[in-house]
Amino acid sequence: MSLRRPSIRRALTATLAACMIGVTGCSSQAGGKTSIDYWLWDANQLPSYAKCIAKFEDKNPDINVRINQLGWSDYWTKLTASFVADSAPDVFTNHLGRYPELVKLGVLQPLDELPELKSIKDTDYEPGLAKLWTGSDGHRYGVPKDYDTVSIMYDKTKLQAAGITDAELASATWNPTDGGSFEKILAKLTVDKNGKRGDQPGFDKSKVKQYGLGVDSQFDYTGQTNWSPFALSTGWYYTNKPTWGTKFNYDDPKFQNSLGWYVGLSKKGYMPRYGQFGQSVTTDQQLASGQVALSLNGSWMLRTYANLTTVKLGISPLPSGPVGHPVSLYNGLGDSISKFSKHKTEAAKLVAFLGSDDCQNIVGTDAVVFPARPAGTAKAIETYRQKGLDVTPFTDRVKKGQTALYPLVYHGSEISSLMQPTLDSVWIGSTPVSALTGVNTKVNAILAEK
């Protein structure tokens, strides 16, 4: 996708004038203070960052920060409109799946060009996080604020009822041929309406009351909380390089065999079918309702799961794959600065503070996410320990180097649009997994575009 800023403006009417998109988006100076805007989408993180910004303003009494929180879909729509209308926030939370396209559009400020952010080092953060925010041109476009990994969330009572111990789940192994001990666990946790388990004679896969594994309503080209832990644990990776790859590997048998096994769980009755719960029923809700026993989910959902009143929550590592250990996709949010901010000095000061121990220790103590800095993560682990939850299945993936970096590529939205219909039809069962070989050729053609 090629989109030039002047042509965007011409395509829109004058009604998209500055500060007319429904939220504040214009930095200003008044009363001796410089006001800047900070946007984020996660309502759960808003209280923690409000505390951080209050502390920042105490340290910088000449700066006023206006916070705006928008839901995920509105966030990106209004952020795009704000760049067009010259009313973009000075600082905003950014996502790895989105920032490459923003770099390509020329709307992000290279942070390493700002004096206030030159001293930031990659080693200040958990391994690999800062690398993800380094563009293909070598410039830094985001300062890490947190990280995501994936683990298994489960209902301990359902494991006990099936005669499975926590230790058995934690030591489960997986392979794409027969699913290993992990598939045996899923079979045992699946129960039909007659009380027959998935590993018992007479099990009716067409009338399942409790599925072994919950599933997202849809999975995309990264498969973060569904198929990725399996494919990645075979030694497969999305592209030909850890970051800024030039070719995708969806034609690799390791990937296709892994995805084939995964969607095959639906055919066996161990996992819900495509569209069974509709678009709105999430995996935490599936677990809470008792309709599933296990769910794969990211660390950003920990607080939601911890607050489930109908579940005796357990957290377990992903199963070990053919590489000999679990592998989680490794994602992380970052704070970016608009290239068109009129107050880049103040914006840079804010970004530096949000990425410092001063802020990240606050976020860690509140334990909404795992902060990007090790000290903040340690505080989050301790907060959850005090609540009776062992969250090391998430943090151990990073500690032990058992992660795969989120695939950074340009044209992400086009690739997603191209992949989605085939991924959906593979899950439905109307298209063989081998069809992804042809799709891979088309994806690589998009990736080759400048």
Side-chain angles (χ1 to χ4, degrees), residues 78-237:
K78 291 186 175 180
L79 184 64
T80 300
S82 75
F83 283 122
V84 174
D86 281 336
S87 57
D90 301 274
V91 180
F92 62 96
T93 300
N94 210 341
H95 190 280
L96 292 171
R98 303 277 180 152
Y99 101 85
E101 292 185 33
L102 296 178
V103 171
K104 203 170 185 68
L105 290 172
V107 298
L108 295 187
Q109 169 64 42
L111 301 184
D112 48 301
E113 293 179 351
L114 301 176
E116 296 78 11
L117 294 170
K118 278 186 175 293
S119 62
I120 287 178
K121 301 186 294 293
D122 289 2
T123 52
D124 291 339
Y125 303 96
E126 295 284 4
L129 282 182
K131 181 179 181 180
L132 287 168
W133 289 102
T134 302
S136 60
D137 58 4
H139 287 296
R140 189 189 304 280
Y141 289 100
V143 171
K145 57 194 290 125
D146 57 36
Y147 73 81
D148 305 332
T149 52
V150 177
S151 288
I152 297 171
M153 265 52 121
Y154 66 98
D155 189 339
K156 286 176 172 282
T157 59
K158 295 189 182 301
L159 248 68
Q160 292 166 1
I164 302 167
T165 67
D166 295 339
E168 285 178 299
L169 178 60
S171 61
T173 58
W174 172 84
N175 69 75
T177 303
D178 61 15
S181 65
F182 185 65
E183 183 170 328
K184 290 182 173 62
I185 288 172
L186 294 182
K188 192 171 289 189
L189 288 170
T190 302
V191 185
D192 70 15
K193 292 188 177 180
N194 297 315
K196 294 284 187 181
R197 295 189 177 273
D199 61 346
Q200 293 178 326
F203 167 71
D204 188 349
K205 66 180 182 181
S206 68
K207 297 178 181 177
V208 176
K209 181 180 180 181
Q210 173 185 297
Y211 292 92
L213 183 65
V215 67
D216 300 319
S217 60
Q218 187 180 60
F219 45 79
D220 64 11
Y221 75 100
T222 67
Q224 184 169 10
T225 56
N226 31 76
W227 56 260
S228 72
F230 306 105
L232 293 169
S233 70
T234 66
W236 173 85
Y237 186 65

